[in-house]
Amino acid sequence: MAQEQQVTKHMKAAAYFLGFISFVLFVYILMALSKILIPVTIAIFLTFLFHPLLLFLAKRGAPRWVSIILILIVVGVFGYLLVLLLI
């Protein structure tokens, strides 16, 4: 019985150690891929942000390409105004 408890303690310690090593490896991979992951994450966020506007314009009968160009113009104007405010 004492030997079973000792084996259980060792298995628990090994599980914690493997979990810690996995976490460190995961963080390292995220840091190594940050130059790729950050722009992709921003692109996905902007897609979710402007998709309702695209659907709204599509319901009003605007072609998809016109809607996309209009959204890009609006984003560009807001970006320009934001830069002016920060300067």
Side-chain angles (χ1 to χ4, degrees), residues 13-32:
Y16 282 132
F17 180 71
L18 287 176
F20 176 73
I21 295 298
S22 299
F23 176 74
V24 169
L25 185 63
F26 179 72
V27 169
Y28 176 75
I29 290 171
L30 284 180
M31 289 175 59

Side-chain angles (χ1 to χ4, degrees), residues 29-77:
I29 290 171
L30 284 180
M31 289 175 59
L33 296 177
S34 67
K35 290 187 179 191
I36 297 170
L37 291 177
I38 291 174
V40 169
T41 305
I42 292 171
I44 291 171
F45 173 73
L46 290 175
T47 301
F48 280 111
L49 184 67
F50 291 114
H51 188 69
L53 181 60
L54 185 69
L55 292 178
F56 174 76
L57 292 172
K59 283 183 184 177
R60 300 286 183 249
R64 190 173 186 91
W65 65 273
V66 173
S67 302
I68 292 172
I69 290 174
L70 184 63
I71 290 171
L72 288 174
I73 290 170
V74 169
V75 168
V77 168

Side-chain angles (χ1 to χ4, degrees), residues 1-12:
M1 177 127 170
Q3 192 174 21
E4 286 179 14
Q5 289 177 346
Q6 198 173 28
V7 169
T8 305
K9 284 184 182 180
H10 289 305
M11 290 179 69
K12 195 172 183 180

